[in-house]
């Protein structure tokens, strides 16, 4: 799409990366349900395996349906390339893998999706990697946490479970000065509300499971590369700058320039880690992305109405939504996220744990599930589910105290959602 005129977001979310199928003229992107692709001849096969020619070999590496989605997301994010994976958590590992080695660390925000906190604080230790968690509002703390072994800074744009928004530009300046890439998880904002690369991020990761697909059908993830980072400026990123033994000494950055990270993600990451997105999942996500801007507008509009109604209700202690004028992040939200702060927030119910459990049980439209970013409204009581294993202190620190529920506001009629919450709060406080 580089030579195309500057199409608007609504056009690109439908067309980027896709064209009528050259074999049949099929207008919608076909699901290429195939494992392998016939080589033209032995020379063609050899060229593909040597990375001298780009093409399809085997669907663990590349698949035409998945390739359309990759180009679609890369275009919407303003990146040069993208690699789709089997889940958002796979995408996070795929983003870190080329950067890290045993003994290296990532400096991460304290405000992250719970699963990411577990992945970074526990699981990556098995690879010899480490995470240092700091408050991203304290830029000096971010600066101080970066040491000689830091290989990435990691945060979320609109942070899950809600109420916090990152000033990406400010954090990117700190990462830049230290010569390390900034990775932004843009799952909750989506490229419609936030384009982290424009604000200085090097890489963007997504759980495409959520808003990009938008209907709770498939899990998936994506890593988008800005193409802006100079991997050869230091000796910190040998996977990208030094000769690669698994490709006869090829140097990814020297050979592929701005596409080095994307080529490495496919040729090494997917080839050897195998966290591949399947073409059915890519199809569902392509269907969802076509309406992304329309849905995000409605998610934001509904979330604002519902959050304002809850905030004014006596049975509610507080609401954390960055889109509310009362939020401590209201100014930052208006400056960095002018189109809105999405559909996720938490609120605290008077009556504590018991009232929350009753509320969740009494709701009719809201579904009690461990998911977010669906067209339908969702709710979860973290203290009795996702954060159950944590101590009360840890629950509070995570914004998931016993009196707190998290909602993902859908695109239904806001008045119906408010009526549903009203009747459930009445039962919860009875
Ligand atoms: C869901 C989620 C993830 C993990 O994605 P999966 O697709 O569930 O693996 C990561 N980050 C955020 C912000 C999420 O909401």
């Amino acid at each position: 799409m580089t030579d195309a005129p500057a199409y608007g977001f609504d056009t690109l979310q439908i067309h980027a990366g896709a064209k009528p199928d050259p074999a049949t003229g099929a207008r919608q992107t076909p699901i290429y349900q195939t494992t392998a692709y016939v080589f033209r001849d032995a020379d063609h096969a050899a060229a593909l395996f040597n990375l001298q020619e780009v093409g399809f070999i085997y669907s663990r590496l590349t698949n035409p349906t998945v390739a359309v989605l990759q180009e679609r997301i890369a275009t919407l994010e303003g990146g040069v390339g993208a690699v789709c994976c089997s889940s958002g958590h796979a995408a996070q590992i795929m983003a870190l893998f080329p950067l890290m080695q045993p003994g290296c660390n990532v400096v991460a925000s304290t405000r992250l999706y719970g699963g990411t906190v577990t992945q970074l604080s526990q699981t990556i230790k098995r690879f010899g990697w480490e995470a240092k968690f700091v408050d991203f509002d304290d830029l000096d703390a971010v600066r101080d946490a970066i040491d000689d072994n830091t290989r990435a800074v990691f945060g979320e744009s609109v942070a899950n479970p809600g109420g916090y928004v990152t000033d990406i530009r400010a954090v990117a300046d700190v990462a830049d000065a230290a010569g390390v890439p900034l990775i932004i998880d843009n799952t909750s904002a989506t490229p419609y509300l936030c384009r982290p690369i424009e604000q200085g991020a090097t890489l963007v990761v997504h759980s495409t499971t959520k808003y990009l697909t938008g209907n709770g059908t498939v899990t998936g993830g994506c890593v988008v590369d800005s193409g802006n980072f100079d991997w050869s400026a230091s000796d910190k990123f040998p996977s990208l700058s030094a000769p690669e033994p698994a490709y006869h000494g090829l140097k990814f950055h020297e050979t592929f320039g701005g596409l080095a990270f994307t080529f490495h993600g496919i040729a090494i990451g997917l080839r050897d880690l195998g966290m591949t997105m399947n073409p059915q999942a890519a199809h569902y996500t392509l269907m969802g992305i076509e309406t992304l801007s329309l849905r995000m507008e409605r998610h934001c509009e509904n979330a604002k109405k519902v959050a304002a109604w809850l905030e004014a209700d006596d049975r509610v202690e507080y609401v954390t939504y960055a889109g509310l004028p009362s939020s401590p992040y209201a100014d930052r939200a208006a400056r960095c996220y002018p189109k809105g702060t999405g559909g996720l927030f938490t609120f605290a119910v008077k009556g504590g744990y018991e009232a929350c459990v009753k509320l969740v049980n009494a709701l009719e439209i809201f579904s009690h599930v461990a998911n977010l970013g669906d067209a339908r409204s969702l709710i979860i009581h973290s203290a009795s589910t996702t954060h159950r294993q944590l101590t009360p202190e840890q629950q509070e620190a995570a914004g998931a105290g016993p009196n707190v529920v998290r909602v993902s506001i859908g695109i239904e009629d806001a008045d119906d959602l408010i009526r549903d919450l009203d009747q459930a709060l009445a039962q919860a406080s009875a």
Side-chain angles (χ1 to χ4, degrees):
M1 298 292 292
T2 42
D3 296 329
Y7 289 122
F9 192 95
D10 293 352
T11 305
L12 293 171
Q13 73 186 355
I14 294 171
H15 292 286
K19 47 185 184 312
D21 181 48
T24 61
R27 177 59 274 206
Q28 190 48 275
T29 300
I31 303 168
Y32 285 91
Q33 196 67 59
T34 183
T35 307
Y37 308 84
V38 178
F39 304 121
R40 285 196 304 273
D41 52 36
D43 287 344
H44 177 222
L48 290 174
F49 273 89
N50 272 339
L51 300 184
Q52 286 157 336
E53 194 178 326
V54 176
F56 298 104
I57 299 176
Y58 185 65
S59 283
R60 171 156 33 80
L61 304 164
T62 48
N63 171 281
T65 312
V66 178
V68 171
L69 179 61
Q70 287 170 164
E71 191 171 337
R72 180 89 39 99
I73 298 175
T75 304
L76 295 178
E77 286 287 3
V80 294
V83 180
C84 281
C85 337
S86 49
S87 71
H89 273 181
Q92 292 171 189
I93 295 296
M94 287 281 291
L96 290 171
F97 179 68
L99 313 177
M100 304 286 276
Q101 292 175 77
C104 291
N105 67 68
V106 49
V107 170
S109 170
T110 44
R111 300 179 186 87
L112 295 175
Y113 174 71
T116 304
V117 174
T118 309
Q119 185 187 57
L120 296 183
S121 64
Q122 307 294 334
T123 304
I124 65 168
K125 284 188 199 156
R126 310 259 183 120
F127 306 147
W129 309 347
E130 190 203 338
K132 299 190 198 178
F133 291 93
V134 291
D135 180 352
F136 271 26
D137 280 349
D138 185 350
L139 295 175
D140 288 332
V142 179
R143 206 173 285 117
D144 290 348
I146 298 175
D147 62 26
D148 288 345
N149 292 323
T150 301
R151 294 293 179 270
V153 175
F154 187 103
E156 287 179 19
S157 46
V158 171
N160 192 325
Y164 181 80
V165 289
T166 300
D167 184 342
I168 296 173
R169 169 62 64 191
V171 180
D173 287 345
V174 174
D176 262 359
V180 293
L182 173 64
I183 306 173
I184 291 291
D185 182 339
N186 201 29
T187 298
S188 306
T190 81
Y192 180 68
L193 299 178
C194 173
R195 304 207 330 149
I197 289 170
E198 284 173 357
Q199 298 180 46
T202 302
L203 302 171
V204 177
V205 293
H206 274 283
S207 166
T208 60
T209 312
K210 315 289 172 50
Y211 290 107
L212 294 187
T213 304
N215 48 36
T217 45
V218 286
T219 63
C222 188
V223 188
V224 184
D225 180 21
S226 64
N228 292 334
F229 199 87
D230 183 358
W231 305 110
S232 307
S234 72
D235 56 7
K236 287 182 176 172
F237 305 102
S239 296
L240 295 159
S241 63
E244 169 57 53
Y247 275 106
H248 322 299
L250 174 124
K251 295 179 181 172
F252 275 89
H253 192 210
E254 191 183 277
T255 309
F256 300 113
L259 282 167
F261 196 93
T262 303
F263 269 85
H264 189 278
I266 294 167
I268 306 283
L270 290 182
R271 187 193 67 177
D272 297 342
L273 301 179
M275 299 188 280
T276 308
M277 177 181 279
N278 68 72
Q280 284 281 347
H283 167 75
Y284 283 114
T285 305
L286 281 167
M287 295 298 94
I289 270 190
E290 295 189 347
T291 58
L292 179 65
S293 63
L294 307 176
R295 287 184 287 107
M296 292 315 291
E297 272 172 13
R298 178 65 74 86
H299 282 296
C300 291
E301 190 187 311
N302 279 0
K304 262 192 189 166
K305 283 186 193 162
V306 174
W309 180 85
L310 284 165
E311 190 175 47
D313 194 279
D314 284 349
R315 297 161 293 188
V316 173
E317 250 170 75
Y318 62 80
V319 180
T320 62
Y321 182 51
L324 282 174
S326 60
S327 163
Y329 297 102
D331 289 347
R332 184 185 293 174
R335 182 165 48 87
C336 304
Y337 303 85
K339 286 186 189 162
T341 58
L344 273 188
F345 61 87
T346 62
F347 63 94
V349 183
K350 288 181 187 161
Y353 189 99
E354 286 310 316
C356 286
V357 170
K358 280 190 201 159
L359 171 82
V360 163
N361 285 339
L363 284 163
E364 284 166 11
I365 298 175
F366 283 78
S367 306
H368 183 202
V369 300
N371 191 20
L372 59 98
D374 197 318
R376 64 215 89 229
S377 291
L378 313 173
I379 189 164
I380 192 152
H381 180 223
S382 307
S384 62
T385 54
T386 51
H387 292 63
R388 199 183 175 85
Q389 310 306 331
L390 304 187
T391 64
E393 295 73 35
Q394 286 174 316
Q395 289 177 350
E396 292 290 350
N403 56 341
V404 176
V405 288
R406 183 193 76 191
V407 284
S408 170
I409 300 295
I411 60 175
E412 301 101 330
D413 286 285
D415 290 344
D416 290 339
L417 300 178
I418 289 171
R419 258 196 303 275
D420 195 25
L421 285 163
D422 191 23
Q423 65 79 21
L425 280 167
Q427 291 192 52
S429 55

